[in-house]
Amino acid sequence: MPVLVASDLDRTLIYSAAALALTMPDARAPRLLCVEVHESRPLSYMTETAARLLTDLGDAAVFVPTTTRTRKQYQRINLPGPEPAYAICANGGHLLVDGATDHDWHARVLARLADECAPLDEIREHLMRTADPVWVRKHRVAEDLFAYLVVERELLPEDWVKELAAWAENRGWTVSLQGRKLYAVPKPLTKSAAVREVARRTGAELTLAAGDSLLDADLLLAADRGWRPGHGELADTQWTAPAITALPERGVLAGERITREFLRAARGGTTAGAAG
């Protein structure tokens, strides 16, 4: 029976230059592999060791990239290893099978959103009306499923975020702040629901997961074992659960540790040291 590995991407497996958190002397820094280029510029990285581990993981388990990114944003990532047969985008709103959208899954998601939470237009209008242009750089809608703001984090008022979260909660939405992006996402739109669907299709008997943000909490809780890095919303709030390991590593070295733990667990607890 296969092992399913569902992992968040940004700030879990892959890292922008600003999120690398390299604290050692330059001469001792790990070699990095660029895994994403956007507008002809390198954008995201992992360590070369993590890349080797991920390649091995693709042969040992069903690896499922599980991201809040849109399909277009996900498809510009070039991960090492075998091409994933499944990928989850838009926080579970789209399930890709061999790179193509599963339209039946998407229709089921839309039906549930219509039944259980306030419409996207209401949330967008509230964000446009209450967010201050002094600290908002961009208003965005992702896949007609959820909204997010690109903000100047140092200018963002904490009270406004708390008020927004309370307002959204009453309408069936959740708010998550990740770096310079503030997300408003319908509660039924979850990574865990899509992961359960992949587990059903593949017959996986063991599910492993990793993530760093509040939007990953449901994913981690749905897994048999999970890991979170020493940075991000979950670490900041000291979030934990019985089957979750809180790692001390931060930045791109956390991504390497997570990949190593995935491979070790997928192999039944044997060491993954040969790749690292």
Side-chain angles (χ1 to χ4, degrees):
M1 300 290 283
V3 175
L4 192 157
V5 175
S7 183
D8 175 51
L9 295 179
D10 294 281
R11 291 169 57 88
T12 298
L13 283 191
I14 68 174
Y15 292 79
S16 68
L20 291 173
L22 296 175
T23 58
M24 71 290 290
D26 289 349
R28 295 177 56 196
R31 288 169 60 95
L32 301 175
L33 175 70
C34 177
V35 294
E36 180 184 13
V37 174
H38 182 46
E39 295 178 347
S40 302
R41 296 181 179 181
L43 191 60
S44 297
Y45 304 85
M46 59 197 317
T47 70
E48 287 190 350
T49 297
R52 292 196 297 272
L53 292 165
L54 188 61
T55 298
D56 290 344
L57 182 65
D59 294 327
V62 179
F63 172 63
V64 184
T66 306
T67 180
T68 305
R69 285 180 177 230
T70 65
R71 288 168 293 174
K72 183 177 180 180
Q73 291 167 337
Y74 164 70
Q75 286 164 347
R76 68 186 185 218
I77 299 172
N78 186 15
L79 293 172
E83 188 72 21
Y86 296 93
I88 293 164
C89 296
N91 216 62
H94 285 284
L95 174 60
L96 305 187
V97 181
D98 295 326
T101 296
D102 184 316
H103 294 289
D104 288 342
W105 171 257
H106 184 59
R108 286 161 57 187
V109 170
L110 292 180
R112 188 174 177 193
L113 298 188
D115 287 343
E116 298 182 25
C117 52
L120 173 62
D121 286 346
E122 180 180 344
I123 307 304
R124 286 187 65 197
E125 189 278 330
H126 183 82
L127 290 173
M128 294 289 289
R129 181 167 47 83
T130 63
D132 193 330
V134 170
W135 41 262
V136 172
R137 291 295 168 260
K138 297 176 184 177
H139 288 260
R140 291 288 185 265
V141 170
E143 303 271 21
D144 290 324
L145 291 168
F146 61 91
Y148 65 93
L149 306 177
V150 180
V151 302
E152 295 291 347
R153 183 69 179 263
E154 64 276 9
L155 300 178
L156 181 66
E158 288 187 15
D159 288 347
W160 182 84
V161 177
K162 292 177 181 177
E163 290 169 6
L164 175 66
W167 179 87
E169 171 81 20
N170 293 330
R171 287 156 180 81
W173 287 63
T174 189
V175 170
S176 175
L177 183 60
Q178 302 178 42
R180 295 177 60 240
K181 291 182 179 179
L182 184 140
Y183 292 89
V185 178
K187 284 187 179 181
L189 187 67
T190 63
K191 295 178 178 180
S192 61
V195 167
R196 288 190 185 97
E197 176 66 11
V198 176
R200 183 188 69 79
R201 296 186 187 192
T202 59
E205 64 177 8
L206 176 69
T207 298
L208 311 174
D212 71 295
S213 80
L214 291 177
L215 291 176
D216 296 315
D218 73 285
L219 170 65
L220 293 172
L221 289 172
D224 297 296
R225 292 183 63 188
W227 293 265
R228 69 160 173 81
H231 60 258
E233 285 181 308
L234 297 180
D236 292 345
T237 58
Q238 298 184 326
W239 183 91
T240 190
I244 305 306
T245 300
L247 299 175
E249 290 88 351
R250 300 171 59 88
V252 72
L253 292 181
E256 182 178 310
R257 172 72 184 275
I258 287 167
T259 313
R260 190 183 305 279
E261 296 294 338
F262 278 154
L263 185 56
R264 181 180 290 118
R267 288 174 169 172
T270 58
T271 181

